[in-house]
Structures are given as structure tokens and as C-alpha cells.
DNA sequence: CTCCTACTTGACCGATCGGTCAAGTTCCGT
DNA sequence: ACGGAACTTGACCGATCGGTCAAGTAGGAG
């Protein structure tokens, strides 16, 4: 099996960062919570920023899994999008239960914080967001091909608005620590994808 | 006239925070940029958190001004919403030019960062966001009264989705440092408000 | 058994963090 | 001219920050 320590550090960092924020979580905090000495952490991660990036990458794997699960089904594209939104909301609920507070969209939170560090970090954040939008755009295109969504609209632009509203709603839910704000998200997303 | 120093500190802090982030800007940074000694800063603001809060409040005044300007006109409500979005996009452009990088929605950025500090801070952040949504909801109600927007939909829910998509799109624009992502925002917002 | 690599330990570092304070200085009303 | 409040100054504080390192230990390959 792969190093247990590395995994524990990463998982712990993820929880702490989402419960609070990247800036508010110190390396010492992660070590304490993971039961690991600092030297070990730095054996696996060259810097705090790289650890943060690893958290982002792990979050993307999670989102990617949700997307795979929803978009890989044998259903009309718009229903696949519904599934995605439902899974996203369920994920928020699960995280809220585990962390004791409503987190925002994990990707969105880190995307807001990490670029501030500047440099190559920002590019990788933008890259992850790009992959996210691309995945949604692919399904929007499917819907357009079937005539479920107006064909004259730019699928990437539509996907961008979908991601934006999902991320923005999650951010509001986090700020109010209120999961119910996510209740109508599926309906809202549908509204952004007008039939032809 | 009111204290010049306090104003300079606040304005400087606002710029620095939006160019980077609340966590990344130290009290020393603000002092250096504002040409003020630390003792002076602490004469006007009891803590860094309170300074952050003052920045948020100032940002709200700015947004509030934009909302007043757009919503106070003698136009159909949906056109007033268009005006608001256009002004918001223009504001982003102006800030991007001044700061050298695309900021996100000022309110949204601080809303993502400040609650992490925890405690009474979070409530005031939520309060500002609430005022924001309320203002939009009022105009949505106007539109519903005229029959421009479906009357059976919850105006607060609709307003929430509008704020979410504006904030989310701004966040994406910031992450990509690309103002053009805001280009179609008005169209997107309109889609969220279906005619009756 | 030996040797080397992977990993862990705990002490340590300089820098920076937010914040304090006593001693000024400036400015105003009286 | 005086007194006091408002404000500024610069030195200072302890804590915490991210990060380093020499010395260990564990464990598999030969």
C-alpha cells in the first residue's frame, strides 16, 4: 500500500482547510491533527503551497468522480446534469455533517484563496476550473445535439454560467451556514439552459 | 473634514485586500502602503478583523450605490436589473484596471474569507449578503407585479440565484484573470428570471 | 547479516504576524 | 495662553508562521 502517512496528512489538511480556509490552517495545525511531526509532512510535501495544491487536486478528483458518475449514465443529457447537481448538493450535505459547518464548493473556495499566493499556483487553479467547465460544456453540447437546449448558444458560455451559479450558491450557503439555500439549485441550473 | 488618516488607511486596505486577499495582506503592509505608523492604524481600528469588516462595509456602500443608481430609475424592473449588471461589470473593469488584476466580487471575496475567522464576524458578513439579496428581491417583486416575471416563483429564491451567478462569475473571472468572462452576464441573469 | 533507502523524530531557525504602549505632537475650544 | 482631547510616533512584545536539519529508526533487497 502507498504511504499511509502521506494520505493521512492530505486527508487531514483537506478537512481543516474546508472547515476553515487555506490561510487559517497552519502547517502545525495539520501536523497536530494528523498525528505527524513536521519533518514527515515536509518529506512528502515540499511546501505548504504544494500541500494546498494537493488538496485542490484531491478535491478535483472528488468532483471528477461525481461528474463521471452523473455524466456516464444512459440518460438524456439534461437529466445527467440534474444528477450532477443532486450529487453535488448531497456532497455538500455530507461535508457539512462531517465538518460541522457548511463548506462552500471546495474547488471554488481554493480558487478564491490560492491565486492570491500568485505565480504558477494560479495557473493550476485556473486549469482545474477549466477542466470543470469543459466537462459541463460537453454535456451541454450533447443536450444541444438532441435539441434539448437551444443550438445557437455557446455551450462553453452556458457551462460557465452553470458552474458559476453552482459555485456562487455554495458560497452563499457557506456564508449563511445554511444548506437549504442549495435546495432549488437543480431548478436554477435548468433555467440557465433554455430549450431550443 | 473627517480624519484623513482613517480614510487613507481604509482605502489602502481595500485596494490591497482586493488585489490579493484578506489573509495575505498584513497590517504592516497596509501601514507601509498608506504611509502610516501602526499605532495610528490601531487608533482607528481596534483589530485587523475590524479593519477587514470596515473594508467589507465600504464595499457594501459601493455596491449599494450601484444598486441605488440602477434600481432608482424610471424604467421597467428588468431593465433596471440590466443596468445593475452593466454597472457591476463596469465596476469590475475599473477595479481591474486600477489594481492590475481582475478582482472578484468584493463582497463575495470577503464573504468567503472572513467567516473562517469565526464568531460575530460571520454574522455581519451574512448580514451584508442578506441586504444585497433583499435589494435584488425587491426589484424581482416589481417585475412580478408587472407580470414580467412568473408570479408563482419565490422572489427571494430568484434573487438568490441572481446574486449567486453574479458572484460566481466574478470569482471565475478572477481565477482566470479574464474580464471577458463577464461579457454575457446580463443575458445569463435574464435567463434566471423567466417570464410568466 | 548488511546495506541502503524510505521514513521519522524533535530540536531549532529567522521572519513575520497582530498587537501594545509610553511618550510625544497637533489642534481646538475656552 | 492654557488645558485637554485627538492623534502620531517608534520602539517593543510574545506568539506563531513556514521551513530546516542532523540524527535516528524501520524494513526490504542482496
Amino acid at each position: 500500500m502507498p504511504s499511509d502517512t502521506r494520505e493521512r496528512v492530505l486527508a487531514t489538511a483537506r478537512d481543516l482547510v474546508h472547515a476553515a480556509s487555506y490561510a487559517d490552517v497552519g502547517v502545525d495545525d495539520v501536523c497536530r491533527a494528523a498525528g505527524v511531526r513536521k519533518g514527515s509532512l515536509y518529506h512528502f510535501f515540499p511546501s505548504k503551497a504544494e500541500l494546498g495544491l494537493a488538496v485542490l487536486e484531491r478535491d478535483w478528483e472528488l468532483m471528477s468522480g461525481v461528474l463521471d458518475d452523473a455524466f456516464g449514465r444512459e440518460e438524456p443529457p439534461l437529466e445527467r446534469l440534474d444528477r450532477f447537481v443532486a450529487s453535488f448538493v448531497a456532497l455538500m450535505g455530507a461535508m457539512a455533517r462531517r465538518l460541522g459547518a457548511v463548506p462552500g464548493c471546495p474547488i471554488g473556495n481554493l480558487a478564491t484563496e490560492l491565486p492570491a499566493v500568485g505565480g504558477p499556483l494560479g495557473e493550476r487553479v485556473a486549469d482545474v476550473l477549466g477542466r470543470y467547465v469543459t466537462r459541463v460544456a460537453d454535456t451541454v453540447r450533447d443536450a444541444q445535439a438532441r435539441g434539448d437546449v437551444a443550438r445557437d448558444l455557446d455551450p462553453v458560455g452556458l457551462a460557465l454560467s452553470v458552474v458559476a451559479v453552482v459555485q456562487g450558491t455554495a458560497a452563499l450557503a457557506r456564508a449563511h451556514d445554511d444548506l437549504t439555500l442549495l435546495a432549488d439549485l437543480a431548478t436554477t441550473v435548468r433555467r440557465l439552459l433554455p430549450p431550443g
Side-chain angles (χ1 to χ4, degrees), chain A:
Chain A
M1 62 181 175
S3 163
D4 181 43
T5 301
R6 190 193 142 91
E7 179 55 32
R8 214 167 59 245
V9 168
L10 186 49
T12 304
R14 218 175 71 87
D15 276 0
L16 292 181
V17 163
H18 290 140
S21 71
Y22 173 77
D24 280 344
V25 174
V27 174
D28 288 326
D29 296 326
V30 175
C31 290
R32 207 174 308 120
V36 162
R37 278 1 107 186
K38 222 191 300 202
S40 292
L41 187 153
Y42 276 95
H43 176 75
F44 293 106
F45 302 96
S47 70
K48 188 198 174 187
E50 284 292 328
L51 174 58
L53 219 52
V55 168
L56 175 68
E57 218 63 66
R58 168 63 55 96
D59 281 327
W60 166 245
E61 286 168 24
L62 202 75
M63 280 295 278
S64 204
V66 170
L67 287 162
D68 284 343
D69 183 57
F71 291 171
R73 294 174 180 257
E74 301 276 352
E75 287 175 339
L78 286 183
E79 292 179 28
R80 298 198 302 248
L81 268 165
D82 287 343
R83 294 247 185 218
F84 161 64
V85 173
S87 296
F88 178 83
V89 172
L91 179 67
M92 289 296 99
M95 289 183 71
R97 237 169 290 120
R98 187 154 51 89
L99 302 177
V102 179
C105 164
I107 310 283
N109 287 349
L110 284 169
T112 301
E113 277 211 273
L114 287 182
V117 179
L121 271 287
E123 295 169 23
R124 297 190 56 183
V125 170
D127 177 56
V128 167
L129 285 171
R131 284 184 252 166
Y132 186 2
V133 172
T134 299
R135 292 291 299 272
V136 175
D138 287 343
T139 298
V140 170
R141 251 185 294 263
D142 282 359
Q144 286 178 313
R146 284 176 42 110
D148 292 342
V149 169
R151 291 177 212 259
D152 59 321
L153 300 174
D154 172 33
V156 174
L158 292 178
L160 205 124
S161 70
V162 168
V163 170
V165 85
V166 168
Q167 196 271 325
T169 306
L172 290 177
R174 173 186 156 101
H176 286 92
D177 195 31
D178 181 1
L179 274 176
T180 68
L181 299 187
L182 296 167
D184 296 330
L185 190 51
T187 314
T188 300
V189 166
R190 281 277 197 158
R191 232 174 255 142
L192 287 174
L193 302 171

